[in-house]
């Protein structure tokens, strides 16, 4: 999947998102509320992308 040239375009933004998520949790010292918020943001992004993928297959 990552060998596809189209996929390469999103690697950098995806890594930036992951870096921001990890940095937020580290700065919050693992505060469970912050961890849950970060998980929710990532899960919402995943759901939106999956929905976009399903719409594109029509």
């Amino acid at each position: 999947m990552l060998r596809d040239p189209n996929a390469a375009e999103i690697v950098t933004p995806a890594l930036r998102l992951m870096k921001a998520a990890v940095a937020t949790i580290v700065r919050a010292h693992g505060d469970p509320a912050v961890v849950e918020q970060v998980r929710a943001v990532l899960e919402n992004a995943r759901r939106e992308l999956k929905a976009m993928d399903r719409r594109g297959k029509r």
Side-chain angles (χ1 to χ4, degrees):
M1 186 170 12
L2 288 176
R3 293 178 190 209
D4 185 315
N6 295 313
E9 292 193 29
I10 59 94
V11 171
T12 299
L15 290 174
R16 283 188 196 127
L17 177 63
M18 183 57 74
K19 183 178 177 181
V22 171
T24 299
I25 289 174
V26 168
R27 281 193 296 275
H29 303 287
D31 178 344
V34 174
V35 171
E36 185 54 38
Q37 285 180 302
V38 169
R39 282 184 183 154
V41 166
L42 295 173
E43 181 61 23
N44 287 337
R46 188 192 68 78
R47 274 194 225 113
E48 284 185 40
L49 291 169
K50 288 295 234 180
M52 207 181 304
D53 186 38
R54 283 191 286 274
R55 285 191 302 263
K57 290 182 179 179
R58 290 181 183 172

